[in-house]
Amino acid sequence: MTTVLLQSISHSAVRGPLRSALFLAGGFAVFTLALHVVCSLYGSRLGYGFFRDELYFLVCAHHLDWGYVDQPPLVAVQARISETLFGLTPTGIRVLSFAAGAVKVGLTGLLAWQLGRRRRAQVLAMMAALAAPVFLVADNYLSMNSWEPCFWMGSLLVLLRIAEGSLSPRWWLMFGLLAGLGIENKDSTVFFLVALLLGLLATPQRRLLWSGWVAAGIAVIFLVVLPNFWWQWQHGWPTYELLNNIAHSDKNTKLPPLAFLKQQVDMLLIFSAPLWIGGLVWLGIARTARAWRFVAVTYLVFLAMMMAMHAKDYYLAPIYPVLFAAGAVWFVQVTRWGWPAYAYSAVLAIFLVVATVPIGLTVLPPEAYSGWAAHFGANKTRTEKFSSPLPQYLSDRFGWEEMAQGFVARYNALSPEERAKTGIFCGNYGEASAVNVLGPKYGLPEAISGHQNYFYWGWHGYSGESMLTLGNDRNDYLKSYEEVIDLGAFDAPWIMNHEHHHYFLLKHRRKSYASEWAEFKYWY
């Protein structure tokens, strides 16, 4: 007990007061939230609308369940809360993701404080997190990725404080709650927790595991994830089937190890690389960081896992706030004087203004984007095979309103008798969700699809007697329908290249949807 107390006093003597640390972290968090709100509102004026996945999450929010084919339930809950509180607008549904970005930046500062340093280390760490393109992009629209680092870093902060004795072992219950919510937000949290366990076992901090409160924390994790586990079991493990389909396809770009490492540098901003790499080395070898050695091992194990699995490069992103924090502590230690840390922070702030914000957020007109991004060599590497005139996270915000209006024009051109028996079928969840989110104000019927969770939502009683759809070639439908009528092209500027389609009216389906629905399952 005396040793733990002395250790806690020693760390407290080095750190500034918690109240000051919270105040500084809160200031950065408020700035981050305001930045996202202002840029999103401005982007709406430039024509940036709903992102593809946002539309799908909004539909999931109106089919709340304990699980979905392609995600756990929390993102749908987030969408439902956002729409209810802030309205069905691009900015409104993103407010909670903006808040997650703010929390992540604040947590980065608190981690720097926890690792033993003062105000300038906090400022540097939070500035690095704020300037990182991967974080700014992920937090700028409704997604699972925005809250993922918050759950990871929140649970890690609890663990760091338990390790030094600042929190009692009872706080393993909070660790379990945050970790469980992380899994309910995104399945990849499981891999982070496995890497964290191996990191603890490989270092002297393994002693933290020999406690009944650890077992209680693990029990909390299982209780939190049990509903989703039960849903998966009832449905035959659809998420595993989806991931297996993707792994055996050419959908994702599979980067070799060196290219994967290069992407880590690029997505975090190249000028931040000395900071997080220095933080990793400091955690791994410095005597002053020996209490935190397990964090370095956790990162290396997690990196190896993601590379071996050919994961997308940004899957590693949620772990970097703690490396920024450690790097800031290391930088302050080696420079000693206050001004180098503030100077480094100022450089990162400049790149935030001239590079990260213009490239990552919706502040440039689309026609000006490519020219500006080219100055920084941005967006040359894709994580998926699909191509687009802008980066996917921007191009996928265009065309959905025009697509819905195209369906409206063709639906209203039908006779009242035909409209009464006509439905809409879409090939992917983006198109179907655009119809289902944006179409009701125009009187469109509900769209169906076999893509992802739409397969479970079924065919809504449509027989296939008369259906509107988007496709590429009328010959693709002649085997299933007696009559296929080309109703003209759909096109809009800046959309993804695979979304240039034609509208078709499909009439007299040879077999009903009910009899063939199993064949429409498309999990990819």
Side-chain angles (χ1 to χ4, degrees):
M1 178 64 73
T2 302
T3 301
V4 171
L5 181 59
L6 288 174
Q7 184 183 32
S8 179
I9 292 172
S10 174
H11 281 284
S12 297
V14 175
R15 287 194 294 264
L18 176 57
R19 183 175 179 179
S20 297
L22 288 170
F23 184 80
L24 183 58
F28 266 82
V30 170
F31 174 79
T32 303
L33 177 61
L35 176 67
H36 279 294
V37 171
V38 169
C39 290
S40 181
L41 290 171
Y42 184 69
S44 296
R45 298 182 61 183
L46 296 177
Y48 295 93
F50 290 103
F51 181 68
R52 173 192 297 268
D53 290 359
E54 291 177 327
L55 295 166
Y56 177 53
F57 295 148
L58 285 166
V59 176
C60 290
H62 289 272
H63 295 80
L64 286 178
D65 207 341
W66 286 114
Y68 303 90
V69 171
D70 42 356
Q71 75 251 349
L74 275 193
V75 70
V77 175
Q78 179 185 341
R80 185 66 170 269
I81 294 172
S82 297
E83 181 184 0
T84 301
L85 294 180
F86 307 109
L88 185 59
T89 65
T91 299
I93 66 165
R94 295 168 186 163
V95 170
L96 292 183
S97 285
F98 299 161
V103 170
K104 175 176 63 237
V105 170
L107 274 172
T108 305
L110 292 179
L111 285 164
W113 172 84
Q114 172 60 35
L115 292 176
R117 279 296 161 184
R118 298 177 180 172
R119 181 179 298 268
R120 58 185 181 273
Q122 273 192 273
V123 170
L124 178 56
M126 289 189 287
M127 198 66 246
L130 182 55
V134 67
F135 292 146
L136 211 63
V137 169
D139 300 334
N140 194 240
Y141 57 91
L142 172 67
S143 76
M144 296 172 281
N145 298 324
S146 57
W147 278 102
E148 190 179 22
C150 300
F151 292 123
W152 291 23
M153 294 300 102
S155 60
L156 188 58
L157 180 59
V158 170
L159 181 54
L160 292 175
R161 291 185 63 74
I162 293 174
E164 74 161 22
S166 297
L167 295 177
S168 75
R170 290 184 179 87
W171 280 80
W172 277 106
L173 299 176
M174 177 59 72
F175 175 91
L177 176 62
L178 292 171
L181 290 173
I183 296 172
E184 289 292 79
N185 174 69
K186 193 172 181 182
D187 296 315
S188 56
T189 301
V190 172
F191 298 103
F192 166 70
L193 294 175
V194 170
L196 182 58
L197 175 62
L198 294 175
L200 287 167
L201 290 173
T203 61
Q205 280 68 44
R206 68 180 70 91
R207 61 180 173 76
L208 298 174
L209 299 172
W210 316 140
S211 165
W213 289 106
V214 174
I218 293 173
V220 171
I221 294 176
F222 279 109
L223 285 174
V224 174
V225 305
L226 182 59
N228 181 244
F229 182 87
W230 180 255
W231 185 91
Q232 292 283 342
W233 181 78
Q234 283 187 313
H235 290 79
W237 310 105
T239 300
Y240 173 78
E241 183 178 339
L242 168 69
L243 295 176
N244 189 58
N245 290 344
I246 293 174
H248 292 86
S249 74
D250 62 348
K251 178 181 179 181
N252 293 341
T253 302
K254 296 180 179 179
L255 298 175
L258 288 179
F260 190 88
L261 290 173
K262 180 180 181 299
Q263 279 302 103
Q264 303 305 301
V265 173
D266 290 345
M267 73 182 186
L268 293 166
L269 192 67
I270 190 170
F271 293 95
S272 299
L275 197 64
W276 67 263
I277 294 173
L280 176 63
V281 174
W282 180 78
L283 287 167
I285 66 174
R287 290 180 59 190
T288 53
R290 60 184 179 274
W292 325 122
R293 200 80 75 217
F294 69 92
V295 178
V297 179
T298 297
Y299 171 81
L300 294 174
V301 170
F302 191 53
L303 172 65
M305 292 168 65
M306 294 298 100
M307 291 172 67
M309 296 169 61
H310 297 291
K312 293 181 180 180
D313 50 31
Y314 64 83
Y315 283 8
L316 206 62
I319 204 171
Y320 283 106
V322 71
L323 296 189
F324 283 143
V329 173
W330 159 77
F331 189 82
V332 168
Q333 284 184 354
V334 297
T335 56
R336 295 179 180 273
W337 301 99
W339 69 265
Y342 290 124
Y344 198 166
S345 300
V347 170
L348 293 175
I350 292 171
F351 277 95
L352 170 70
V353 172
V354 302
T356 308
V357 167
I359 293 172
L361 303 186
T362 55
V363 298
L364 288 178
E367 58 272 14
Y369 181 91
S370 296
W372 187 264
H375 292 303
F376 303 96
N379 306 304
K380 291 184 177 180
T381 302
R382 297 197 303 268
T383 59
E384 295 184 355
K385 68 178 182 180
F386 306 118
S387 58
S388 53
L390 301 173
Q392 185 258 346
Y393 59 83
L394 295 178
S395 275
D396 253 339
R397 304 187 197 208
F398 286 94
W400 304 115
E401 186 70 36
E402 294 90 336
M403 180 181 292
Q405 290 176 356
F407 274 115
V408 171
R410 289 154 179 85
Y411 182 73
N412 289 337
L414 301 174
S415 68
E417 294 76 19
E418 284 183 295
R419 285 200 300 270
K421 61 183 179 181
T422 297
I424 297 176
F425 179 88
C426 295
N428 63 65
Y429 68 63
E431 297 166 3
S433 299
V435 172
N436 291 333
V437 172
L438 305 174
K441 63 187 176 185
Y442 301 116
L444 285 180
E446 187 167 9
I448 64 173
S449 177
H451 192 208
Q452 311 303 54
N453 222 75
Y454 270 97
F455 174 74
Y456 284 137
W457 297 328
W459 56 94
H460 293 284
Y462 295 141
S463 65
E465 174 66 18
S466 178
M467 301 295 291
L468 289 168
T469 193
L470 279 170
N472 296 316
D473 190 332
R474 68 183 299 273
N475 293 322
D476 295 338
Y477 304 100
L478 289 175
K479 289 184 180 180
S480 300
Y481 293 87
E482 293 181 10
E483 188 176 358
V484 179
I485 304 171
D486 190 331
L487 299 179
F490 162 69
D491 199 6
W494 313 111
I495 63 176
M496 298 290 291
N497 291 340
H498 66 274
E499 289 292 357
H500 296 273
H501 293 310
H502 274 238
Y503 293 95
F504 293 102
L505 177 63
L506 314 176
K507 305 187 74 172
H508 312 303
R509 184 171 175 80
R510 302 180 193 279
K511 293 183 180 180
S512 69
Y513 282 126
S515 64
E516 289 191 321
W517 190 249
E519 298 180 17
F520 282 91
K521 185 170 77 171
Y522 179 49
W523 292 351
Y524 173 71

